[in-house]
Amino acid sequence: MTETHPAVTAFLQTVHPYDNLPPDELARVARSFSRREYLPGALIYAFGEPLGGLFLIKSGGVEITDRNGALVSLLSARNSFGERGLLRDGLAATTARASEPSVVLMLPADDFRRLIDSSDAFARFFNRSRAGEPRAADFALMKVSDILARAPLACAPDASVAVAARLMRDAAVSSLGVTQDGLAHGQLLGIVTQRDLSNKVLAEDRDPATPVAEVMTQNPVSLTQNALGGDVLALMLERRIGHLPITDEGHFIGMITQTDLTRFQAVSSAMLVHEVAGARDAAQMAQVTARIPQLLAQLVGGNHRHEVITRRITDIADAVTRRLLALAEEAFGPPPVPYLWLACGSQGRQEQSGVSDQDNCMILDDSVTPEDMPYFQNLAAFVSDGLNECGYVFCPGEMMATTPRWCQPAQVWRDYFRHWIARPDGEAQMLASVMFDLRPIGGAASLFAEIQAETLEMAAKNSIFVAHMISNSLKHTPPLGLIRGFATIRSGEHRNHIDMKMNGVVPVTDLARIYALQGRLSPANTRARLQGAEEAGVISVTGARDLIEAYDLIASMRLESQAVLVKSGRRPDNYLAPSDLSDFERSHLRDAFVVVRTMQSAAGHGKGAIG
């Protein structure tokens, strides 16, 4: 049965990405759709069946289940489904049934693929991979909105120059916007700088009560947030100005200064690592690590891939740890026996973001004696305290080298892993999950190499241990709701948000760890583990690629959310409000969570792949 073309056209005009099509193309596409009606419970397609086309819900609801029958999503009007199978091999990757009386439109597969090839909007919407996106970090090509590093700071025109000076001093800035109401985002009237206060107030012996309006630069030249870094450079050089306000329809939204430009060029992970290497104490290193949020925002704004960003941020933590170890040895003398400092958690996986605590331990040479232990206890306290001062706060679970249990000879560590694998109770599963992410940071790396190889061999051969670890990995699930797409936090400070760490990144991290155990893979990094699992045949090529794409999207959106917080002057965290996302972003984030849940279901049923 064919829906009337005008009705389909009118409906498609309300659905992205069809709303981006030219009128003639939209009308042609509308004529290609066929209409299907389903009663509750009716099968639309089953897993593994050839797909005739892309499905679009006009009214009603559709229930999507994975190959094992587990519910992964409940879709409603304007949601599409079936695209993943079409883009892969033409076979259904899930099963779809009507959950209520429904009208579903179907676009033939050939028409769908033609649109993917001919329309950028379609390609962007239906292809979750970001591999083809430009990743240039050239300042001149960046948008001003990605360069702004702090929230706007303003005062009213009748504020005194003394008040303005105190505002600049307290915020450690060299200029203020002057707005009609004195508030950030108000209508911009002018700007006042430290040079204005020096040249027009102090040099002329004016009264500190002088209104800012008398010394400010009125109606200053400005740019919008859609301008490029090259525009900023050109305007500053042409006008010989050191402060450039950024406006949105005349409203003050931020300031870019020559200092910002210098800092932007200087703030790189390599530069921060260099400064850490020359620090004489933890206090100096803390001044360096305080710039990590700015580095995060800069790297996100430069369109670097998430794994590049987290690697560069982790490099700084590694450098801080190694410098603290060197300072500890200077303070306490050379170690009595060889030792190895290791990181676990996000540092161990090289996946640190703007929010990180410390997780670490020490392996000591088996020749260590009880008389040697005070040295290592002092060293552990020195390094752990220094990390805490640098912003890597103490682990709430005391998973640190300062805990005697986690500062032991190599043979004790071998016994730990043997016990956890032989008797995988709840604590063993938790500890194994942490300790299988170990990565050497400083000291004798050979102390870990043999332990790691032996442990992976034992773990892979023990099917009971692997089964328990799989069960443990399924405790964190993607935040998929049945009605609105996401299951958000219901109360408290983060009400109506989703936790992009515990319910986004962690479920993939847990799956990747299982694949690493099954494949005896040595990398600790999640993405490297997924790629290794594909190469080793632990999971199928399609399963691995789907999960990698899903992980890339989830991890990237987490970092983008943190960068937004940094640029607004707030501390980065892991919470994201779906309501802040566009329909496009919500749709793809939901699809990514569906992939993760499907892979969890496959792991729980003893299968490693989708399709």
Side-chain angles (χ1 to χ4, degrees), residues 472-492:
N472 187 64
S473 74
L474 303 181
K475 292 179 180 179
H476 298 105
T477 58
L480 285 169
L482 298 182
I483 304 300
R484 297 183 179 180
F486 298 103
T488 58
I489 297 169
R490 295 185 178 182
S491 61

Side-chain angles (χ1 to χ4, degrees), residues 235-255:
L235 196 54
M236 282 186 165
L237 291 172
E238 178 186 352
R239 301 294 184 94
R240 296 185 179 182
I241 56 178
H243 300 81
L244 182 63
I246 307 302
T247 59
D248 181 12
E249 296 184 351
H251 293 271
F252 179 55
I253 61 172
M255 186 85 74

Side-chain angles (χ1 to χ4, degrees), residues 296-318:
L296 169 69
Q298 179 176 309
L299 292 173
V300 171
N303 287 323
H304 289 275
R305 295 187 62 87
H306 71 89
E307 67 269 24
V308 173
I309 297 172
T310 54
R311 171 63 183 270
R312 290 183 178 179
I313 291 175
T314 305
D315 286 345
I316 300 167
D318 290 355

